[in-house]
Amino acid sequence: MRLDTFPAQEPARPWARILRAALGSTLAVTAWNVSLATDQPRLTVTPAAGLVDAPFHVVLEGVLPGSRVQISAARSDVSGRTWTAVGDYYVDADGKVDIDSSPSLGGSYDGVSAHGLWCSAIPVAPDRLSAYLAQLPQHPELGTSPKLDLKAVYKVTLTASIDGKSIATATATRTYAAGIVPEEVNTADGVRGLFFPPARNSTPGIPIVVVAGSGGGLPDDQAALLASHGHPALAQGIFSYKDLPKTLRAIPLETFRAGAHWLEKRTGARKVAIMGTSRGSEAAGLAASYFPGDFSEAVVFVPSHLSNGAYDLSIKEVVAAWTFAGKPLPADHGETDSNNADAATHSDQPPGFIGTPFYLGTWSDPAVSARFGIPFERMSGPVLALGAGADQMWPSFIGAAQIGRRLAAHGLAGRAEVHIYPGAGHVLSRVGSGGPFSSFLFHPVARDYEATGGLPNANCEGSYDAWDKVLQFLARNPSR
């Protein structure tokens, strides 16, 4: 009697079940071996070429179901060091691994993350990660993310392997602003930075002034990416760049109006947008509020809703970070408390100092908001506030929500677009950030390790979604 013709009423005997299972498995393996002989495994990345903020859709097909496969994605940074993301996956019943939905069981990231093979790149093999982390306190220059040339096109080499043997390869390229040549900006009224003209053949977008946070320097990566999407972008320094002040202290708001005027003249726009991250969110919010004739809208990443004190580790009492018309703006003391915390002076090991608790006492206090709150209601247009629910540098989840509440209290709820990413940390503003290093950083000004918070996959996917929200927000406001 054939195995597949047992009468329905006859119970299967144990030996029959075993024989039938073995035969089925053998037939499946034989069928897949025949298939693989004529149809080799295929590894693809979509899109094959794009900007850093493009999807990184990786699919492996044509592999024996149930196999365990490792997929790696390697790229080099400006110093020639190779950073590699690695995931381990089980092949599904269709002979496929789709990174959008297939969980990584090990490597440089775990779980499901559509961009995991970009975000989780590390400079050593996963089994050497602990040793690398142990070196960082004495050698912070080793870094926690690849240093990329904004003008370069970076090649990513992907390899799928089983038991160490390669079964398929693919390549992709990514860039911030290939083909865009930035211009140095240095004006008599204090504007210092780099201007990124829009990419050729891009859809014209609203010009935007972009300012960085407490690390100082320039947010040139954000500006470059905006320019690649058609937005003329001025990466404007606040401090610690060229001949600007060395610390975030007594910075005139008029500097940002001067930046707007330069960008208006350069592009022919009547108004421009402004975007700021972390402490730069204060600059963006204040500039848009005090100079509504120049700024049409604002984007604030991991923001504060308050004007905070100076960022200068030598300061023991609250000192103004910002001035207007030559006078200091009143400031909340959360930043000063954080700067002077005992824990902040002993943060020489990752994940470092956790600053958020030092702001919680005032950031939800209505009286503090009334006294030190940024007057977003004075803006001439909307604000996009992007907060991180697991932020450990400061409670940007409160800051973003308070911006929305303030505008609602003034009858302007429609002007606030607020998004809070529950599992993400302070690196929400860095598109493509995630992986083992994304919950802390070595601060270039404080010279210590500081916790940024968030879960690796939430940081990664949140950063892509938040950046997409920025582009959508800016697209709703045509160039002026």
Side-chain angles (χ1 to χ4, degrees), residues 170-469:
T171 60
T173 59
R174 293 293 184 267
T175 185
Y176 278 94
I180 295 177
V181 179
E183 305 170 12
E184 186 78 34
V185 180
N186 188 329
T187 72
D189 46 6
V191 181
R192 303 288 184 271
L194 288 174
F195 171 68
F196 291 82
R200 293 180 180 178
N201 302 320
S202 60
T203 301
I206 186 169
I208 182 165
V209 174
V210 189
V211 291
S214 63
L218 295 183
D220 47 1
D221 54 347
Q222 290 178 327
L225 206 46
L226 286 167
S228 290
H229 284 282
H231 296 281
L234 171 63
Q236 182 173 353
I238 300 176
F239 74 102
S240 193
Y241 177 73
K242 300 292 185 177
D243 60 346
L244 293 176
K246 298 300 182 185
T247 58
L248 177 55
R249 181 174 184 173
I251 306 298
L253 293 184
E254 290 81 0
T255 301
F256 307 111
R257 180 177 60 183
H261 287 173
W262 185 92
L263 190 55
E264 290 161 8
K265 184 177 180 180
R266 178 67 172 75
T267 63
R270 295 195 303 273
K271 285 187 178 182
V272 301
I274 187 168
M275 182 170 80
T277 297
S278 193
R279 290 306 303 266
S281 73
E282 294 172 48
L286 288 166
S289 300
Y290 279 82
F291 309 112
D294 292 295
F295 295 104
S296 55
E297 57 265 338
V299 175
V300 288
F301 261 115
V302 288
S304 171
H305 62 297
L306 305 174
S307 179
N308 292 276
Y311 186 65
D312 184 337
L313 301 184
S314 67
I315 294 174
K316 299 303 178 184
E317 302 296 333
V318 177
V319 174
W322 317 102
T323 68
F324 175 66
K327 297 180 180 180
L329 292 185
D332 180 48
H333 59 75
E335 183 76 307
T336 307
D337 293 346
S338 175
N339 288 346
N340 294 317
D342 288 340
T345 63
H346 300 92
S347 300
D348 57 356
Q349 300 283 335
F353 174 62
I354 299 175
T356 289
F358 295 90
Y359 302 87
L360 295 176
T362 58
W363 278 38
S364 294
D365 188 333
V368 172
S369 294
R371 184 179 180 190
F372 304 120
I374 297 171
F376 287 95
E377 67 277 4
R378 297 184 190 175
M379 288 179 55
S380 63
V383 58
L384 171 64
L386 300 153
D391 198 330
Q392 291 187 326
M393 289 201 80
W394 69 4
S396 63
F397 49 93
I398 295 177
Q402 291 283 43
I403 291 169
R405 291 191 187 103
R406 183 175 186 118
L407 285 170
H410 285 83
L412 299 170
R415 286 193 180 179
E417 182 180 340
V418 177
H419 300 277
I420 298 173
Y421 293 82
H426 205 73
V427 296
L428 181 71
S429 63
R430 300 181 180 180
V431 63
S433 292
F437 298 141
S438 64
S439 62
F440 67 92
L441 55 75
F442 185 80
H443 201 285
V445 175
R447 306 298 297 173
D448 66 359
Y449 283 95
E450 301 199 2
T452 54
L455 299 170
N457 293 353
N459 289 335
C460 174
E461 301 307 327
S463 73
Y464 279 92
D465 188 80
W467 188 254
D468 188 57
K469 292 289 193 300

